[in-house]
Structure formats: structure tokens, C-alpha cells
Amino acid sequence: MTTTLSDGRTVGQPPNERFPVRLPDRPTPVLDVRGYSFWYGLTQALFDVRVAIPRRAVTALIGPSGCGKSTFLRSVNRLNELIPHTRHSGDILLEGVSVFSKGTDPVALRREVGMVFQQPNPFPKTIFDNVAYGPRLNGLAPKRDIPERVEHALRQAALWDEVKDRLQTPGTGLSGGQQQRLCIARALANEPEVLLMDEPCSALDPGATQRIEELLVELKRSYSIVIVTHNMQQASRASDFTGFFYLGRLMEFGPTKQLFTRPADERTEAYITGRFG
Amino acid sequence: MNARRLRRRLVNGTMTALVGALSFVAVLALVLILGHLVAKGASSLDWNFFTKNPVPTGETGGGVAHAIVGSGIIVGLAALIGLPIGIGTGLYLAEYGSGRLGWVVRFVADVLNGTPSIVVGIFVWTWLVRPMGHFSAFAGSVALAILMVPMIARTTEELVRLVPHSLREAALALGYPRWRTSLRIVARTALAGILTGCLVAVARIAGETAPLLFTALGNVNFNTHIGEPMEALSLQIFQYATGPFDEWHRLAWASALVLMGLVLVLAILARWVLRSRHGAAR
Ligand SMILES: Nc1ncnc2c1ncn2[C@@H]1O[C@H](COP(=O)(O)OP(=O)(O)OP(=O)(O)O)[C@@H](O)[C@H]1O
Ligand SMILES: [Mg+2]
């Protein structure tokens, strides 16, 4: 079975491996969303979303509360389908392969798509165990390599220096900002293709927020990041592309600079200038 | 303005005094029971009491080793059967029990929780003792396990429900299968509470007498074979306390003290588990 990417190339899918091809650093989309709609029961939360999320870049999703940003993120890793009475139409392709195809195991998919939540949610375990959970479970590394992986992930999340002497203390004993970086490290330890972040800074003070923004710049060298934020400054500072959601529709999508300086849609303009939302 | 404040103070004071008096009554009951048991039974607690089996009536110096060991075996086996089933049921109810089947299981558990223990004893007698043709410790354990399961299931369910949803989602988002999330994250997080619930349940059934009358029956001899009738502390208290001999009454008081002590130890252990676990998580 082969799939045609939006830029016209085709990618084969070997039968046993879900995500076989690490495509080169070319401007092909990592996520290709095709006419995606989503319903909670009878309420439609997303309407015909079409977007190509660029690879190795930070994409910010903005929009007023309740417009479907979280729903969109949680559709990519299929976390939403655990909610009873939900359904969708359309498709989302990760690396050219539908996340909804029969051959896609949602559990395997979630290893490829890391997620960081609004509230820091470390497990009530040691810092080390928090980060080691993913690799251990997924058999990503032989046992003796796990400490190395944990260190790597913690360094990537800019947390290593603060916790290296207390790896065996509970992760819940860290400060809020540290906990959130721990959660980022936990997601990174799985080496996902895509990192989804749902308002990761909303519970953090400006200092911790700034650290995470700096982190995004580092991380986008190796990961594709989609971040939901209510903070316009954050979106304009930290992202390369921005999408504006409104009432379940993606109204506008484009390079951040362009969207913030010359928005095509008047509602986008109204929202980013703070006239509503 | 002032009158309202006065009224509020008055109501507050009355209520505090009332609640204080009521808790004093509750504590007083426990103190009286314990004190009475100690006064009547403590003097009989000697080496013989714990190590000797009963001696023929008329002689002195016998003990209740057979009942202590018997209680240990019957309650231990009941816990072995009841804990996994109870915890498993509780997990199921909390994690997957939103449907019709969950409702039915929950209902059955609640009914079972309110069922008099003697009814459970008769039930086990009908379905286990009669077909097997004789009383046995095993049947006693089954009866006690049946009493434990709904208690543990409902406590486990409540505690698992308290685990924040965000933790569940964190595990799922890392690529944990659902059942593994339930076991490794959710159940582990609620573990201290679940353990406490189990200890409390064991303490509750350790003193049960009625369901054992129809199942384990009792035994004057030392027996460790679970296929045979076996003595238990509670049965032995029942028999000795209602018997005609002073020596028996003496042993009954002492046995009651031991049983009460056991329950107390379990309760303290339960507190301690909860405390130390919380301490570790902080
Ligand atoms: N579990 C659910 N069941 C039913 N409806 C839901 C559920 N979750 C979200 N919705 C609805 O779907 C719509 C989109 O919600 P969503 O959480 O995606 O918004 P959002 O853009 O993330 O908002 P916010 O910025 O406040 O986080 C809302 O109208 C919400 O009420
Ligand atoms: Mg949201």
C-alpha cells in the first residue's frame, strides 16, 4: 500500500512497521489533516478542518475558549476516541499514513505523538521513573541504556541540571514549572515524531513560561511541535506557523508573522488584537 | 447585627459541645470494652494460652493454640481468595463499570454488603458443605471471602475514582494500553488506600462467627488441614462463653482480648500504611 503525500511523492508502508520512513528535512507536512470533523454525541466540535502542519517547526493554535483546539490535538493521538459517543469524519495523516487506518494501533500511535497537558501531571513516582516509563514500556531501549535516555530527555527539557542530584525523589515534589518540564521530558523520552502541547504554560509563572518558550526553539530542531496557547505574545514569539480556530473551524493558517501582521480574516484580526475572545 | 452575631456564636458553641459529647460516648464505648476485656482476660494470657491445646474439662492449664492457628488459616485463606477478586472487581467497576454490567455488579455488591453474615454462612453450607459431605475450614474461608469481596470492591472503586483523570490520560498519551494504565498507574496510585481498605476488611471478618458455624464448624483438636473442620477464635469464644465451666469463661475472655487486639493491630497498621505512603509521595 502506498500513500500519496500532498507534495506528490508517494511513500510505501511496509506491512509490519507503522512509521518506517524518517523523511529528510524537507518542507513536507508531518501532519496532513484532510476535511476532518469531530462530534461529541450530537454536538459537532470540529468542522472540516484542512491543514498541513509543517515538519520541524512550532505551530501555534489560537482561538477563543471552546473553539475546538484541544479537541483537535486530542484527535491527532486519538485520545478523544476514549470518550464514549464520539465520532469523526475525514482523515489525519501522520507521515503520510492515516492515524485512523485499520493497521494503526492507537497505542502505537500515541508513542509517536507525544502530548503535554495544560496542568503538569507527573506520576506519583520518582523523577527518574517518570521519564523512564515510556522507554521501559515501549521497549525502546535495553535496560542498561535507560539511564542514558532519561538523562538525554531531561537535558532536552532543560531540567537535568536542576534535578540530576535528586533523580530518586518524587516528581510531584518539583515546582510547577519543573513539573511541566518533567512532563515534557517524559514525552520526549519516547522520541515522538510530533509533540502536542495543550496550553503547557497556563499554570506557570512568566519565568517558567519563558524557559519553556526557549525550549521550544531548541526542540523544533528535532521535533515537530503543535502548541495550543491563549497567549498571543507567546504565539507570535515562539511559533513559526499559526492557525486560528473559531467555532470549530480553522479560519486561517499561515506563517506566524504574516498572520499577526496581515491577517486575511477579519475575525482573526479581531481576536489577535484582543477585540473579542 | 449584634444579635445575629450572638446567635451564631450560641449555635456554634452548642453544636461543638454536642458533637464533642457524642464522640466522647463513642470513644467511651471502645474504652469500656477494651478495659473490660483487659480486666477479665489479661490475667489468663500466659505461655500456655498461646501454645497449648485444650485439656479435658476439669483439668487446668490448657490453651487455645488450635483456635489461634485456625483463625490464622481461615482468615488468611479468605484474604487470599477475597482480596484479588475484590480488588479486581473494584478496578473493573471504576474503570469500565459505566455500562449496564457495571450497574448490575455494583448493585449485587451493595446487596451483598448488606446481607447478614449468617445468610452467607447458610448459603455456603448449601452450596459447598452439603455437596462435599462435611464441614471444612475451606468452606469457612469461602464464606468469609464472600463477605470481604463487596467491601473491598466498593472501597477500591471509590479510591480508584479519586485518582485524577489527568494521570490516566498522561499514561495513555505515552502509549500505555488501557489495562496497563489501570494496573500500573491508577491502581498503584490508589494502592495505599486500597491496602488500607483490605486491612479494614480483614479486621472486619476476623471476628465473624455466624458464617463459620455452618462451615468451619469448630474443632477441639489442633488441625491444619483445610479440608477438615477447624477451630477459630470467634467460634471458640462462642462455645466457651456459653458453656458451663469457669475455666471456659476465663479462656473465652482471654480469647476475646486476643481477637480484639488483633483487630486493633490491623486498624493501626491500616493507618500506618496510609500515613507512610502519603509521606513518601510528598
Ligand atoms: N468530553 C466532552 N464532551 C462533550 N463536549 C465536549 C467535550 N469536550 C469538549 N467538548 C465541547 O467541544 C467544544 C470544543 O472544546 P475544546 O475543549 O476542544 O475547546 P478548546 O478550544 O480547547 O477550549 P479552551 O481554550 O477553553 O481549552 C466545546 O464546545 C466543548 O464544550
Ligand atoms: Mg482546551
Side-chain angles (χ1 to χ4, degrees), chain B residues 147-206:
Chain B
L147 289 171
M148 279 174 90
V149 166
M151 282 191 250
I152 293 174
R154 293 298 259 150
T155 345
T156 304
E157 183 193 356
E158 267 166 44
L159 288 162
V160 166
R161 275 187 196 284
L162 284 183
V163 175
H165 196 64
S166 60
L167 273 189
R168 231 170 287 233
E169 291 203 320
L172 290 169
L174 278 183
Y176 272 62
R178 215 172 148 196
W179 62 271
R180 227 167 146 165
T181 303
S182 301
L183 281 183
R184 293 210 49 184
I185 305 296
V186 179
R188 283 274 195 91
T189 307
L191 191 64
I194 294 175
L195 273 181
T196 307
C198 290
L199 286 171
V200 169
V202 170
R204 275 272 296 280
I205 59 142

Side-chain angles (χ1 to χ4, degrees), chain A residues 74 77 79 82 107 110-111 113-115 117 121-125 130 133-134 137-138 170 172 186-187 190, chain B residues 98 165-178 180-181 184-185 188-190 279-282:
Chain A
R74 295 161 54 90
N77 65 354
L79 213 52
L82 297 169
V107 168
R110 290 181 199 128
R111 292 170 200 168
V113 183
M115 188 160 209
F117 297 81
N121 54 359
F123 299 130
K125 306 263 168 195
N130 261 285
Y133 251 60
L137 165 88
N138 301 331
T172 42
R186 182 175 66 185
N190 261 353
Chain B
S98 53
H165 196 64
S166 60
L167 273 189
R168 231 170 287 233
E169 291 203 320
L172 290 169
L174 278 183
Y176 272 62
R178 215 172 148 196
R180 227 167 146 165
T181 303
R184 293 210 49 184
I185 305 296
R188 283 274 195 91
T189 307
R282 222 178 283 137

Side-chain angles (χ1 to χ4, degrees), chain A residues 69-70 118 198-199 228:
Chain A
K69 305 177 300 287
S70 299
Q118 183 168 356
D198 196 345
E199 299 179 44
V228 169

Side-chain angles (χ1 to χ4, degrees), chain A residues 143-274:
Chain A
K143 213 173 168 123
R144 62 189 146 78
D145 291 348
I146 293 227
E148 202 178 307
R149 264 185 105 97
V150 168
E151 175 175 345
H152 184 61
L154 283 170
R155 279 188 191 281
Q156 279 188 313
L159 188 61
W160 175 253
D161 290 330
E162 286 157 69
V163 302
K164 61 173 185 270
D165 300 320
R166 48 191 288 206
L167 289 176
Q168 295 307 326
T169 61
T172 42
L174 296 172
S175 77
Q178 290 173 326
Q179 285 189 19
Q180 194 62 302
R181 276 179 284 148
L182 179 63
C183 293
I184 293 173
R186 182 175 66 185
L188 293 180
N190 261 353
E191 299 201 337
E193 290 291 328
V194 181
L195 188 60
L196 308 173
M197 305 174 104
D198 196 345
E199 299 179 44
C201 301
S202 64
L204 305 183
D205 70 30
T209 301
Q210 196 193 338
R211 298 220 54 174
I212 294 203
E213 281 176 23
E214 289 163 8
L215 196 60
L216 292 179
V217 179
E218 280 300 307
L219 291 178
K220 75 177 176 194
R221 293 207 288 224
S222 3
Y223 299 93
S224 311
I225 299 166
V226 185
I227 178 170
V228 169
T229 177
H230 279 288
N231 183 333
M232 292 306 110
Q233 284 83 36
Q234 179 168 64
S236 62
R237 270 194 311 258
S239 74
D240 305 301
F241 296 86
T242 300
F244 172 63
F245 273 89
Y246 185 63
L247 297 178
R249 287 171 215 278
L250 183 63
M251 305 305 296
E252 189 167 352
F253 185 88
T256 299
K257 255 212 192 88
Q258 183 186 324
L259 193 130
F260 274 89
T261 51
R262 283 171 281 118
D265 193 292
E266 60 198 32
R267 281 159 298 196
T268 313
E269 189 180 1
Y271 183 71
I272 57 180
T273 53

Side-chain angles (χ1 to χ4, degrees), chain A residues 38-41 43-46 63-74 80 83-84 86 118 198-199 228-230 245 248 271:
Chain A
F38 187 88
W39 288 261
Y40 292 103
T43 330
Q44 187 165 1
L46 290 175
S65 192
C67 64
K69 305 177 300 287
S70 299
T71 304
F72 176 75
L73 281 198
R74 295 161 54 90
N80 254 354
I83 299 170
T86 55
Q118 183 168 356
D198 196 345
E199 299 179 44
V228 169
T229 177
H230 279 288
F245 273 89
Y271 183 71

